[in-house]
Amino acid sequence: QLKLVNPSQYRFEHLVTQMKWRLQEGRGEAVYQIGVEDNGLLVGLSEEEMRASLKTLRRMAEKVGADITVLREREVDYDSDVPRKITEVLVRKVPDNQQFLDLRVAVLGNVDSGKSTLLGVLTQGELDNGRGRARLNLFRHLHEIQSGRTSSISFEILGFNSKGEVVNYSDSRTAEEICESSSKMITFIDLAGHHKYLKTTIFGLTSYCPDFAMLVVSANTGIAGTTREHLGLAMALKVPFFIVISKVDLCSKATVERTVKQLERILKQPGCNKLPLLVNTDDDAVTAAQQFAQSPNITPIFTLSSVSGENLDLLKVFLNILPPLTNSKEQEELMQQLTEFQVDEIYTVPEVGTVVGGTLSSGICREGENLVVGPTDDGKFLRLKVCSIQRNRSACRVLRAGQAATLALGPFDRSLLRKGMVMVSPEMNPTICSVFEAEIVLLFHATTFRKGFQVTVHVGNVRQTAIVEKIHGKDKLRTGEKAVVRFRFIKHPEYLKIGAKLLFREGVTKGIGHVTDL
């Protein structure tokens, strides 16, 4: 907008309607640039005009029930005696039908690169002591506390209120309170870095469908161990990622620069085709967040320290502005389809019964709804009823497509359930198969890949061993070759969809592809 000084009533109504539409399009978020003409010419406004424009914008936001935060101000070199300014403003309104905007960010990186510590510092609000104190609250098992290595998948939440301030555990809040006072929630999925736990990492990336990935690289070791592999995984699954270089307090400037150069070289390789963008100031962070959402080829790089707290604010600014990937139109289309819930975790809770955790991939799920779950070992589906729903540890009546939650199933027998099952509405006729075909690319293989070979196949939340029954048009495959292959599941049939992304591995063998025929 150029300027919004004392608009007439009619113009004001028009601006408000436009703002509503913008907010709906961006799922409750929009960025306004004031002092810029429609064709993008930077004109700038004088002090008074700017003050009046911001006042109008506040009035507009109040009318829609939104909050505004000034992201940045810039002076424009324009041929005039009065200094002229441009302001960028973030308008955020929580949609009426959901409590908060929800983003899922997977955290990847080599062992000991400081993933859990960084999350501890972001979500607990206090710096680390350099010996890993900040991450103790994230660990789930005793052996993780002893070795300091993550082996399971843990979830951490970071909230931003509508003014863009961080809401976290620092005031000893509970998760429910964070949910209630945030208008935007970022769920971090802390994955394991150690090579031994690679299958857990892959499961986390395929089944929890993260919107973005954060690759953490330690400044003093550079790219080592599983870093390249995690980079490859994020690219194979087409998850847009940004990079954080941690531990910059440990080494000299030259070492940090060397690590940045090393990363830039890898990102510019023909396989990657990414455009690295080093973030040094608040302006960079704002630009990075906007560009990153529009074109997935841009990879922002942050250099920070969890001990001295250097540049942590830049990462927070970036995460606050980061818009969701799917727009509201796509979500509405998904919500009109039949209900389908992926089961990722199964628990037994005293006095509640069996509880399953996972993601609703399409449709809407309400409390008290009757669904069927399966496939069992003989390919049948069993009836069950959803007793209650929880999102981020607070109760929720309705679950919409793309949201993660836990559902309580009451007295349902836990031994009938396993990871990789789906809960669907009874009228859907789910496609079950034990034999499927997929078009695959072999990424890396020691010997030749031929008929009778056994691999572990990951498709979404399904993970099972399968045998290669037939390779169409060839006897064997070598590294880098493409083919259509027929697989057969060893134990039980699974629910698959045509076009689903597929990842398989066995020892050092790795490949990616998609399902073509069931």
Side-chain angles (χ1 to χ4, degrees):
Q1 302 285 346
L2 180 56
K3 52 183 167 182
L4 310 161
V5 185
N6 301 335
S8 62
Q9 191 57 36
Y10 173 72
R11 166 104 171 119
F12 183 70
E13 295 294 328
H14 171 72
L15 284 168
V16 169
T17 318
Q18 190 185 18
M19 182 183 266
K20 266 190 193 156
W21 190 79
R22 287 272 152 78
L23 286 171
Q24 202 177 350
E25 193 183 31
R27 272 209 182 169
E29 285 188 330
V31 176
Y32 271 72
Q33 290 169 335
I34 300 175
V36 181
E37 277 195 26
D38 288 348
N39 60 8
L41 187 68
L42 306 175
V43 182
L45 300 179
S46 63
E47 265 312 289
E48 291 152 40
E49 287 182 326
M50 184 56 87
R51 218 174 305 141
S53 299
L54 283 176
K55 194 173 145 195
T56 311
L57 196 62
R58 267 200 191 91
R59 260 176 60 209
M60 283 159 55
E62 267 167 30
K63 187 117 185 188
V64 229
D67 285 288
I68 71 173
T69 356
V70 176
L71 291 178
R72 52 179 175 178
E73 287 194 318
R74 278 250 188 96
E75 286 206 1
V76 194
D77 308 332
Y78 210 62
D79 316 332
S80 73
D81 318 332
V82 209
R84 288 173 166 265
K85 282 190 177 154
I86 299 180
T87 312
E88 265 195 327
V89 183
L90 176 72
V91 183
R92 179 180 293 164
K93 173 188 191 244
V94 181
D96 312 319
N97 55 9
Q98 70 196 70
Q99 300 98 358
F100 41 77
L101 297 161
D102 199 13
L103 283 184
R104 289 193 288 269
V105 178
V107 185
L108 298 167
N110 190 28
V111 98
D112 305 334
S113 65
K115 295 185 292 298
S116 301
T117 303
L118 174 63
L119 289 193
V121 170
L122 281 174
T123 58
Q124 309 293 335
E126 54 182 70
L127 296 173
D128 188 51
N129 61 356
R131 291 194 301 280
R133 181 171 139 230
R135 64 175 184 217
L136 287 180
N137 304 343
L138 304 190
F139 283 159
R140 290 172 56 168
H141 300 294
L142 182 65
H143 68 87
E144 296 181 336
I145 293 176
Q146 286 160 353
S147 70
R149 292 195 173 149
T150 312
S151 68
S152 59
I153 302 174
S154 68
F155 293 91
E156 280 311 310
I157 52 179
L158 176 66
F160 288 98
N161 62 18
S162 45
K163 297 193 176 61
E165 299 155 352
V166 176
V167 182
N168 57 17
Y169 293 113
S170 57
D171 312 332
S172 69
R173 289 196 184 87
T174 56
E176 292 93 344
E177 283 180 54
I178 295 182
C179 291
E180 276 165 22
S181 47
S182 311
S183 58
K184 178 172 189 173
M185 298 274 301
I186 294 183
T187 310
F188 288 107
I189 308 166
D190 188 13
L191 301 173
H194 200 284
H195 202 93
K196 178 167 104 180
Y197 305 121
L198 188 67
K199 75 167 194 179
T200 310
T201 308
I202 294 180
F203 180 73
L205 268 178
T206 52
S207 70
Y208 293 117
C209 332
D211 297 305
F212 302 104
M214 172 162 89
L215 184 71
V216 183
V217 181
S218 154
N220 50 3
T221 53
I223 296 173
T226 43
T227 309
R228 275 169 208 266
E229 212 157 320
H230 286 177
L231 195 68
L233 280 178
M235 293 191 57
L237 295 167
K238 297 193 170 61
V239 182
F241 58 92
F242 57 96
I243 297 179
V244 170
I245 298 178
S246 65
K247 307 192 184 182
V248 294
D249 57 299
L250 283 183
C251 39
S252 62
K253 240 181 170 155
T255 321
V256 179
E257 275 168 23
R258 199 180 70 215
T259 307
V260 173
K261 287 224 164 58
Q262 194 182 9
L263 271 169
E264 287 179 342
R265 199 166 62 239
I266 282 196
L267 290 173
K268 286 176 184 166
Q269 278 174 359
C272 277
N273 276 340
K274 301 282 185 200
L275 204 74
L277 176 66
L278 195 61
V279 177
N280 292 322
T281 60
D282 276 0
D283 274 1
D284 293 351
V286 175
T287 315
Q290 289 167 4
Q291 296 291 336
F292 181 52
Q294 285 158 12
S295 67
N297 287 350
I298 286 181
T299 304
I301 301 180
F302 296 86
T303 51
L304 53 82
S305 157
S306 306
V307 178
S308 67
E310 185 187 334
N311 288 356
L312 261 177
D313 300 350
L314 298 184
L315 183 61
K316 285 178 185 165
V317 168
F318 174 76
L319 290 169
N320 178 28
I321 309 173
L322 202 59
L325 271 186
T326 55
N327 50 29
S328 43
K329 205 160 77 204
E330 288 171 32
Q331 196 196 15
E332 271 165 20
E333 278 169 17
L334 273 176
M335 274 159 56
Q336 279 152 13
Q337 296 169 9
L338 292 169
T339 308
E340 180 191 319
F341 182 85
Q342 296 187 352
V343 179
D344 298 336
E345 308 254 2
I346 303 158
Y347 325 96
T348 308
V349 180
E351 296 178 12
V352 179
T354 308
V355 174
V356 293
T359 315
L360 190 69
S361 40
S362 64
I364 292 180
C365 177
R366 293 185 177 84
E367 279 185 7
E369 198 160 349
N370 290 310
L371 300 172
V372 291
V373 68
T376 53
D377 292 356
D378 47 6
K380 289 198 180 68
F381 276 77
L382 312 165
R383 307 182 73 106
L384 53 79
K385 184 178 172 182
V386 178
C387 298
S388 67
I389 304 176
Q390 278 203 336
R391 263 188 86 197
N392 275 339
R393 302 170 208 165
S394 49
C396 157
R397 296 250 170 271
V398 184
L399 191 60
R400 293 180 162 72
Q403 298 179 340
T406 50
L407 313 181
L409 307 177
F412 193 79
D413 182 10
R414 176 184 172 160
S415 58
L416 298 171
L417 295 170
R418 59 185 166 77
K419 282 186 189 181
M421 280 187 163
V422 283
M423 288 161 54
V424 292
S425 67
E427 56 268 26
M428 184 159 151
N429 199 3
T431 48
I432 308 171
C433 68
S434 23
V435 182
F436 67 97
E437 288 188 354
E439 186 179 313
I440 60 159
V441 181
L442 208 57
L443 294 182
F444 180 72
H445 189 33
T447 55
T448 49
F449 178 88
R450 53 160 64 87
K451 195 180 145 188
F453 199 74
Q454 289 194 5
V455 292
T456 307
V457 177
H458 294 261
V459 190
N461 62 343
V462 170
R463 139 174 105 178
Q464 208 196 128
T465 308
I467 295 185
V468 177
E469 281 208 333
K470 186 179 177 195
I471 302 176
H472 291 280
K474 290 181 182 162
D475 322 332
K476 52 193 180 190
L477 276 185
R478 296 184 185 281
T479 303
E481 291 189 329
K482 236 184 189 173
V484 176
V485 176
R486 184 185 297 162
F487 291 103
R488 174 188 289 281
F489 283 125
I490 277 190
K491 291 213 311 240
H492 32 243
E494 296 279 10
Y495 168 84
L496 294 181
K497 276 199 188 119
I498 288 185
K501 290 200 199 82
L502 164 129
L503 217 116
F504 62 86
R505 56 179 183 84
E506 201 286 309
V508 288
T509 308
K510 285 187 197 62
I512 55 171
H514 59 269
V515 180
T516 52
D517 192 19
L518 308 176

